[in-house]
Amino acid sequence: MKSEYDVVIVGGGPAGLTAARTAAQAGVDVLLVETHKEVGRPLLCAEGISGEGLSRVVDPDEDWICCRLSGAKLVSPNGTSLYIDHPDAGFVIDRTKFEPHLARMAVDAGADIVTNCRADDPVCDNGRYGSISLHSQGSSRYVQFKVLIAADGVESVIARKAGLVKNLLPSQLASCAQYRIEDIDIDCGTPEMYFDCELAPGGYVWVFPKSSHSANVGLGFVPTLADGLNPFDMLNRFVSRRFESYRIASRTMGIVPHFEGRRTILKGNVMAIGDAARLVDSLTGAGIATALYSGQLAGEVSGKYIRSGKNSVLRDYPRAFMSVFGRKLRMYALAHQIFRRMKPGEIDAVLEIAAEMLGGRTIRSIDSIKVIRRILMRKPGLLRMTPRIVWK
Ligand SMILES: Cc1cc2nc3c(=O)[nH]c(=O)nc-3n(C[C@H](O)[C@H](O)[C@H](O)COP(=O)(O)OP(=O)(O)OC[C@H]3O[C@@H](n4cnc5c(N)ncnc54)[C@H](O)[C@@H]3O)c2cc1C
């Protein structure tokens, strides 16, 4: 590790590893530090990603694709189910292999990656950050940079210290609990999503197949709506109803942040990407695709900035990211604000409308903004549940 880099990236998830690759491809000196011993572990994810979200940034590779999804099953609170026939919908991947794959691409492009190394305390001088302290195996040192990229996930110490985001409030996140379930029989092409306000208030329960005999089965809920319920008790209730026999191979818990707007992603020479910037679909909790794309752009823009020396270039990052994802993330956040206030009967009614739009035929691509708009037009009363949300 050198004492000075053009770009320092904190965090080796999909966001940071992609930023490391594209910054290195742009010909600048890059260091990525990851606090865990290996990238991709421990796993805190259901590992589902849309085909479009993945292919925008990385070519799908059989080495880390577990299942190709050809549809989805949505189940409403009264038990009615809607099957969406959507060939090429996406994938369930193996992130313990996916992230090492991204790391290899970054290293091949010329990035330095150091694992087992924790970063904290970015130092600001005259309004600009210039160095950061790194801790590894009992020793600490400062490394200098021109651009700092916070890719340190939902806890985002770096993004918080640099003033990009604040501490998450319980109402601004989903708490998640998940099992890896083995010894089951399941359709490998069809993920299942159950909207059950008792088991997952403000969220849903998912079954994402990993093979025809195993799945990630979990739930996410808004803690302020759950009244002290134990997430694993809720998950146990679901699993014993859904599967006749099964084996729990592992369990995990995690947090998904809700989207907060564009102000969270750039401040001076610090960029935040992925979960660190809260770039998550608040409705489904999906954040891998946005992590990959924000990482790709942040790396590319850092390279352009270093070569040009013009501060204004850094603003290309929020501009380019929001031009692709801004409307969607805002619409999902709005829809989630409504969804979390809906009663079971209202969710049943919305799924009926979705069934009219998406059921009984093959769908090649889903325009989710259009779907949400049409539901709101059919049920304008739902809009009364909208709080005043202002995004900068
Ligand atoms: C239970 C659960 C299920 C989910 N399922 C899905 C899903 O199916 N599909 C989907 O799209 N999204 C899903 N998500 C969300 C998804 O996991 C995240 O959006 C995604 O991982 C964000 O990527 P990232 O690179 O921004 O952050 P992360 O993947 O969280 O990576 C951040 C990295 O930074 C490292 N780090 C943190 N602090 C430091 C530090 N100080 N120094 C050095 N390194 C540091 C961490 O160790 C970590 O490796 C799920 C989340 C949860 C909790």
Side-chain angles (χ1 to χ4, degrees):
M1 193 195 307
K2 297 184 288 189
S3 58
E4 201 177 329
Y5 285 85
D6 294 321
V7 181
V8 169
I9 300 165
V10 179
L17 293 166
T18 306
R21 168 170 62 87
T22 53
Q25 282 168 341
V28 299
D29 257 0
V30 185
L31 170 68
L32 179 147
V33 294
E34 163 57 46
T35 192
H36 288 112
K37 283 193 186 133
E38 292 174 64
V39 297
R41 289 172 196 271
L43 175 69
L44 296 173
C45 188
E47 304 174 293
I49 183 166
S50 70
E52 189 190 16
L54 180 67
S55 313
R56 185 181 281 120
V57 179
V58 194
D59 291 332
D61 187 324
E62 294 307 323
D63 273 357
W64 40 260
I65 285 178
C66 304
C67 293
R68 290 175 181 272
L69 306 176
S70 53
K73 180 177 154 186
L74 313 187
V75 182
S76 70
N78 68 9
T80 310
S81 74
L82 158 64
Y83 176 72
I84 303 175
D85 176 10
H86 184 5
D88 307 322
F91 306 94
V92 177
I93 60 175
D94 180 346
R95 284 189 57 177
T96 66
K97 293 184 179 160
F98 178 58
E99 263 114 290
H101 173 84
L102 297 179
R104 277 191 298 277
M105 288 202 290
V107 169
D108 288 348
D112 284 353
I113 294 185
V114 179
T115 54
N116 213 359
C117 178
R118 182 174 57 82
D120 64 15
D121 211 16
V123 179
C124 186
D125 200 9
N126 284 330
R128 235 176 147 68
Y129 286 89
S131 62
I132 188 160
S133 62
L134 305 181
H135 312 276
S136 182
Q137 296 170 335
S139 69
S140 300
R141 61 189 293 192
Y142 276 86
V143 166
Q144 292 186 312
F145 56 78
K146 298 188 183 90
V147 175
L148 177 63
I149 299 183
D152 48 341
V154 62
E155 309 278 341
S156 68
V157 173
I158 305 302
R160 269 187 287 142
K161 287 200 172 165
L164 285 147
V165 295
K166 298 204 172 91
N167 287 347
L168 274 173
L169 300 174
S171 59
Q172 297 169 327
L173 56 88
S175 268
C176 304
Q178 180 175 277
Y179 288 141
R180 172 68 57 79
I181 301 272
E182 309 264 357
D183 303 343
I184 51 173
D185 283 321
I186 194 166
D187 173 1
C188 192
T190 308
E192 302 168 14
M193 295 159 93
Y194 296 79
F195 300 94
D196 182 326
C197 312
E198 277 178 25
L199 288 181
Y204 65 99
V205 185
W206 62 81
V207 178
F208 283 8
K210 288 282 289 182
S211 70
S212 46
H213 299 295
S214 61
N216 290 327
V217 182
L219 52 81
F221 61 94
V222 177
T224 47
L225 303 177
D227 205 17
L229 292 173
N230 178 331
F232 284 107
D233 287 346
M234 288 137 83
L235 196 50
N236 289 339
R237 272 168 56 196
F238 171 79
V239 171
S240 54
R241 259 185 357 217
R242 170 65 184 81
F243 300 102
E244 268 174 32
S245 67
Y246 59 89
R247 181 171 64 83
I248 297 172
S250 62
R251 53 187 262 163
T252 182
M253 289 186 81
I255 291 174
V256 172
H258 292 150
F259 177 64
E260 288 175 22
R262 68 180 287 141
R263 69 184 181 285
T264 58
I265 72 178
L266 172 71
K267 191 168 177 192
N269 60 334
V270 184
M271 299 181 193
I273 59 180
D275 276 15
R278 323 281 198 236
L279 301 178
V280 173
D281 165 355
S282 310
L283 201 51
T284 63
I288 306 173
T290 35
L292 291 171
Y293 191 57
S294 58
Q296 172 170 302
L297 290 174
E300 287 168 358
V301 169
S302 309
K304 280 190 209 147
Y305 164 71
I306 303 292
R307 287 201 309 270
S308 70
K310 288 187 193 148
N311 285 337
S312 58
V313 170
L314 289 170
R315 289 201 288 275
D316 288 352
Y317 163 53
R319 220 177 353 245
F321 180 84
M322 289 302 166
S323 74
V324 173
F325 275 106
R327 272 182 73 222
K328 277 190 190 165
L329 294 184
R330 282 195 297 273
M331 193 59 140
Y332 298 151
L334 175 77
H336 182 254
Q337 289 295 331
I338 295 172
F339 171 70
R340 62 194 276 169
R341 290 168 173 79
M342 281 163 61
K343 306 239 163 17
E346 290 165 329
I347 301 175
D348 293 332
V350 164
L351 246 84
E352 268 173 39
I353 300 172
E356 286 169 27
M357 289 161 65
L358 304 170
R361 63 197 172 94
T362 300
I363 309 277
R364 292 286 154 197
S365 86
I366 297 180
D367 180 341
S368 44
I369 294 190
K370 210 163 149 189
V371 172
I372 294 170
R373 276 223 185 101
R374 281 176 65 178
I375 288 172
L376 291 175
M377 278 163 70
R378 291 276 301 274
K379 291 254 160 214
L382 293 175
L383 277 168
R384 278 200 298 275
M385 298 181 186
T386 326
R388 271 194 79 223
I389 306 175
V390 181
W391 284 287
K392 290 181 190 157

